[in-house]
């Protein structure tokens, strides 16, 4: 059974950087589109970024464009989210999710499009 485990969260000052990891077991991430989502306290879950199964197609939420980068290491069966210039309002729990249902060169930022979720990792941006 596919399992996803996020790591890399923590406390960072405003303007700082973190790299989140999402390690998969039980399946090969090559077969899935992957998304990163976050939920700030008191807010709805928000799609941050996604990447397709193939072709390197990526989507970023407007709020993170130019600051966040999604990538995958197929050899390690892991996907990453590099987050730079972090802001206090980006504090929250960050989740990775995967879906086998997108066509090969597509992904999306709607949480209902994803089938499997990790448990999340807390990111706190504060001075």
């Amino acid at each position: 059974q596919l399992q996803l485990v996020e790591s890399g969260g923590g406390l960072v000052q405003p303007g700082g950087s973190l790299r989140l990891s999402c390690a998969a077991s039980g399946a090969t991430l090559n077969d899935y589109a992957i998304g990163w989502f976050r939920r700030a306290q008191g807010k709805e879950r928000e799609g941050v970024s996604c990447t397709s199964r193939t072709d390197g197609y990526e989507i970023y939420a407007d709020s993170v464009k130019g600051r966040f980068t999604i990538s995958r290491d197929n050899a390690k069966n892991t996907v990453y989210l590099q987050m730079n210039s972090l802001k206090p309002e980006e504090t929250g729990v960050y989740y990775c999710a995967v879906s086998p249902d997108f066509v090969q060169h597509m992904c999306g930022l709607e949480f209902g499009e994803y089938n499997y979720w990790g448990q999340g990792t807390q990111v706190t941006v504060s001075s």
Side-chain angles (χ1 to χ4, degrees):
Q1 183 176 352
L2 174 62
Q3 291 188 322
L4 303 171
V5 179
E6 300 96 334
S7 61
L11 174 63
V12 64
Q13 292 187 342
S17 297
L18 284 174
R19 188 177 79 157
L20 306 183
S21 300
C22 173
S25 61
T28 302
L29 284 180
N30 283 353
D31 297 331
Y32 298 85
I34 302 165
W36 281 99
F37 295 79
R38 65 187 178 195
R39 179 178 291 174
Q41 192 171 5
K43 294 186 178 181
E44 295 290 323
R45 187 167 23 184
E46 172 190 20
V48 174
S49 181
C50 69
T51 184
S52 63
R53 283 188 280 166
T54 62
D55 301 330
Y57 177 77
E58 298 171 358
I59 299 175
Y60 295 92
D62 288 343
S63 60
V64 306
K65 282 180 181 176
R67 298 186 297 117
F68 288 16
T69 303
I70 191 169
S71 62
R72 63 165 86 203
D73 185 333
N74 291 331
K76 295 182 178 179
N77 215 28
T78 299
V79 64
Y80 303 99
L81 185 68
Q82 177 68 42
M83 306 186 297
N84 300 327
S85 302
L86 282 161
K87 305 173 182 179
E89 57 266 35
E90 296 180 308
T91 293
V93 180
Y94 284 68
Y95 303 88
C96 65
V98 301
S99 171
D101 298 329
F102 286 100
V103 295
Q104 285 191 348
H105 57 280
M106 293 294 293
C107 65
L109 295 183
E110 295 296 327
F111 68 83
E113 297 174 306
Y114 291 83
N115 310 87
Y116 302 95
W117 292 80
Q119 82 291 347
T121 185
Q122 175 70 42
V123 171
T124 302
V125 186
S126 175
S127 56

